[in-house]
Amino acid sequence: MVNGVGSPLKSKIAVEVPADPDAGWLLCDVGWGNDTTGPHIALGTDEPGIRGLFRFRPETAFPMNQLVDVLLCGDSTLTRAERELIAAYVSSLNECRFCFYTHAAFAAVRLEEGMTLVRQVCDDLESAPVTDKMRALLRIAGSVQRGGRDVSAGQVADARAAGATDLEIHDTVLIAAAFCMFNRYVDGLATFAPDDPDVYAERAARTEGYVAVLADSLES
């Protein structure tokens, strides 16, 4: 198994994939910052990551989750696993612990190869065993992470040549841009990312969209 990030930023993600896919998975310290002094503002909850921020400001939480529902769970010619993989990849490039852990888990439970493929993509995109179309879309996502103007006409042409539709290219760019926002939201307020894999695996197994999960959380 391999690991890291296929971009100018190299991650130190360590993920153990058990022989039994139902036995869970283990996330180890990625070597990224995880402020243990607490968030910059009083959230009034001990929920981790973006979940605490959603509870603090539900008026903004619902539209953000509606956007994620459309991008990651809505009708698309890209599978949910592929879209979650884009989200996890961008979060790894941004070294956002909580968002990477969360969306790596969501991708892994929906991929036949599980966390192994997530790791391979984050270690070296060019050698990862993904389709040419997915590789081209992930290249575009990586360019968005560095800056929107880094997306080149050549990258878009390569994605089209590999079979990507304009809608798939559009959604890849928007997923990458949205997760740059989410990553900076989570880390800009110094939220906490637990190391316990069960925190992420439990939610990853749910099949509802993000709005439904948020509603359940706010009601509890």
Side-chain angles (χ1 to χ4, degrees), residues 79-149:
T79 67
R80 180 167 179 185
E82 290 171 330
R83 290 174 282 169
E84 293 283 359
L85 183 59
I86 294 169
Y89 181 63
V90 170
S91 298
S92 74
L93 296 177
N94 284 323
E95 299 190 357
C96 180
R97 291 168 59 99
F98 183 83
C99 293
F100 170 75
Y101 282 0
T102 297
H103 295 281
F106 270 99
V109 298
R110 291 165 174 81
L111 290 166
E112 183 178 350
E113 307 88 346
M115 192 62 74
T116 299
L117 183 58
V118 177
R119 293 181 61 190
Q120 289 172 319
V121 165
C122 289
D123 181 59
D124 183 1
L125 174 59
E126 299 310 312
S127 66
V130 293
T131 64
D132 289 342
K133 182 176 85 170
M134 196 63 199
R135 196 183 328 278
L137 292 174
L138 286 164
R139 286 179 188 140
I140 290 173
S143 291
V144 173
Q145 182 271 334
R146 293 190 297 274
R149 292 189 180 91

Side-chain angles (χ1 to χ4, degrees), residues 55 213-220:
R55 187 173 288 278
V213 174
L214 172 67
D216 286 349
S217 175
L218 294 179
E219 288 173 3
S220 63

Side-chain angles (χ1 to χ4, degrees), residues 67-80 83 171:
L67 174 62
V68 175
D69 253 0
V70 171
L71 291 176
L72 301 188
C73 307
D75 292 340
S76 176
T77 48
L78 296 174
T79 67
R80 180 167 179 185
R83 290 174 282 169
D171 285 2

Side-chain angles (χ1 to χ4, degrees), residues 77-78 131-134 136-137 156-169:
T77 48
L78 296 174
T131 64
D132 289 342
K133 182 176 85 170
M134 196 63 199
L137 292 174
V156 173
D158 288 345
R160 286 198 181 108
T165 66
D166 280 2
L167 183 59
E168 290 171 340
I169 293 167

Side-chain angles (χ1 to χ4, degrees), residues 38 60 103 142 153 189:
T60 59
H103 295 281
L189 286 166

